[in-house]
Amino acid sequence: MANMSSTRFGIEIEVIVEPHTLRTPPNALSYYQKLSASLRKRGQKAQVDDLRGGYRTYPDNFTKWWITKDGSLNNHGSNQIAFEAVSPIFSADRNWDNDIDAFWDAMAAVFHQPIQSPKCGSHIHISPGLAARGRYAFHELKVIAFGVVAYEPLVLLVLPASRHENVYCRPNTKSSSQLGGCHNLRQMRQLIASARSLEGLKDIMQADRRVLWNFENTLLGKSGTIEFRGGRGLRGRNRTKRWIAFAVSFIHFVLNENDFEMRNIYNDEWRPTVELFYEKLRSKAKDVGMRSHLPSSYRVLNETQRERAPVTRPEQTWSLSSLAQALRPNHTVR
């Protein structure tokens, strides 16, 4: 099994923003360059899409932030800029959260907080560390695939409602006609087990890449990542870290649970409650150093509840008279 402490991941962040200093009409490329300069000022490597050669997903092996246009964000306000920021590759055993902080600090120096828009989402790519040559073994992919379909109803409960029916992250069981033709988990398990190639497994899991868990990049010649596309549009560092922690911890969870091998449990009653499922995720998050980024309740992730501030005991204050009384010897009058 892949060593999850060295899991590698990257994130794509789609935003629509308004610059602090607006040029009329706004020139997207100039603001991409401003953001790139702001990132470099904070010690981050960054590169800008020159917008001349059509859409490019990435120029060179994910070693720096890549600022590019996103075709799904074309329609926005005249004073707004839309783009996708693609991160470099991070490792779970490194200080990746400092890089996320640097990104949002750079953003804040150039733009106002991103607007809330259902068009915007976030995509997290996950792969094992270099010891596994950055690729999951074929059997591991089958274990992950079964985990994706087995826990799909619970994952949907953890997602914000805006992501449930989004055309860019359809549940895998609704995208795939093969999975949709199965009547129960046992048949889904048999279908996944029957895959004889990476291409065959990918075709079982999805009709196209616009699914909750995208297996497209597991094919030979591609990056080797599994892509989680269910994250909400991100507007700051805290939610960015939360959704990274969720996606990485989920892969860790399904690989360790390995329900794929437990042939006698495949029925809907077998699934844990969403509360227990989320607690198991938080436990696995600890193994990859990400527990602090997952809120205590899944309802904070799905935004039906706010994160509770930690309860602090009020500091005790003393008046001079009460302090003197407390320090006075206790003499009993007879």
Side-chain angles (χ1 to χ4, degrees):
M1 181 180 295
N3 178 10
M4 291 303 294
S5 66
S6 62
T7 295
R8 302 197 305 168
F9 59 90
I11 185 167
E12 301 166 3
I13 302 172
E14 300 170 349
V15 294
I16 300 173
V17 289
E18 186 172 318
H20 291 306
T21 305
L22 184 65
R23 296 178 180 178
T24 306
N27 179 281
L29 180 57
S30 68
Y31 288 106
Y32 293 5
Q33 292 167 340
K34 283 179 178 289
L35 176 57
S36 180
S38 185
L39 282 163
R40 291 194 296 271
K41 184 178 179 181
R42 289 159 177 81
Q44 299 290 304
K45 295 179 180 179
Q47 186 173 344
V48 169
D49 185 348
D50 61 17
L51 304 182
R52 295 175 184 171
Y55 179 73
R56 291 187 293 163
T57 55
Y58 206 79
D60 63 352
N61 299 323
F62 303 94
T63 58
K64 60 191 75 172
W65 288 95
W66 170 240
I67 315 302
T68 186
K69 65 182 178 181
D70 187 298
S72 66
L73 305 178
N74 283 335
N75 298 320
H76 52 77
S78 60
N79 294 336
Q80 297 169 340
I81 303 294
F83 59 87
E84 180 179 69
V86 183
S87 80
I89 295 172
F90 299 129
S91 180
D93 57 2
R94 304 289 178 88
N95 292 327
W96 59 272
D97 41 351
N98 293 338
D99 297 310
I100 297 298
D101 288 339
F103 171 78
W104 285 107
D105 287 343
M107 284 280 290
V110 181
F111 304 108
H112 296 291
Q113 187 179 39
I115 69 166
Q116 289 183 315
S117 172
K119 296 178 182 178
C120 297
S122 53
H123 308 153
I124 299 159
H125 292 257
I126 306 157
S127 67
L130 292 176
R133 298 183 179 180
R135 304 192 73 90
Y136 292 107
F138 188 41
H139 182 73
E140 287 178 320
L141 289 173
K142 289 185 176 183
V143 172
I144 294 169
F146 183 71
V148 163
V149 299
Y151 292 99
E152 184 177 88
L154 303 180
V155 170
L156 290 174
L157 291 175
V158 175
L159 298 185
S162 63
R163 304 302 286 174
H164 289 190
E165 301 296 331
N166 193 292
V167 296
Y168 293 102
C169 59
R170 296 186 67 204
N172 291 73
T173 60
K174 291 186 177 180
S175 169
S176 166
S177 59
Q178 295 187 63
L179 290 173
C182 296
H183 298 293
N184 52 51
L185 284 176
R186 185 181 299 276
Q187 290 182 5
M188 289 184 183
R189 194 267 175 200
Q190 292 171 345
L191 177 63
I192 290 168
S194 71
R196 293 293 177 261
S197 67
L198 295 172
E199 185 83 33
L201 181 61
K202 186 266 295 183
D203 290 342
I204 287 170
M205 294 304 295
Q206 60 203 71
D208 56 45
R209 66 182 182 85
R210 297 172 298 177
V211 284
L212 203 53
W213 299 93
N214 175 25
F215 284 69
E216 177 78 31
N217 294 309
T218 63
L219 303 182
L220 294 178
K222 298 199 174 185
S223 64
T225 64
I226 292 173
E227 179 189 17
F228 173 66
R229 297 175 57 87
R232 52 112 69 210
L234 298 171
R235 305 174 67 222
R237 69 196 69 206
N238 291 339
R239 284 194 175 102
T240 305
K241 295 173 187 177
R242 285 174 186 172
W243 286 109
I244 288 172
F246 172 81
V248 172
S249 300
F250 179 83
I251 297 297
H252 188 25
F253 165 71
V254 296
L255 282 171
N256 278 268
E257 291 288 296
N258 199 4
D259 300 304
F260 186 71
E261 303 300 342
M262 299 175 65
R263 301 168 188 268
N264 60 334
I265 59 158
Y266 303 140
N267 56 67
D268 289 341
E269 289 73 23
W270 153 79
R271 289 190 184 97
T273 63
V274 64
E275 290 81 7
L276 179 57
F277 165 69
Y278 187 70
E279 276 309 305
K280 287 185 175 185
L281 280 187
R282 294 186 75 223
S283 175
K284 295 307 176 187
K286 184 177 180 181
D287 295 344
V288 288
M290 293 186 177
R291 185 182 173 99
S292 64
H293 298 309
L294 278 182
S296 57
S297 171
Y298 76 94
R299 295 185 182 276
V300 176
L301 269 181
N302 71 16
E303 300 175 20
T304 59
Q305 174 182 304
R306 289 181 178 272
E307 179 77 280
R308 294 180 181 177
V311 178
T312 56
R313 187 176 180 178
E315 185 177 351
Q316 190 170 10
T317 57
W318 297 85
S319 66
L320 289 176
S321 59
S322 62
L323 183 61
Q325 182 68 32
L327 295 176
R328 184 179 300 164
N330 185 18
H331 296 294
T332 303
V333 179
R334 297 183 184 274

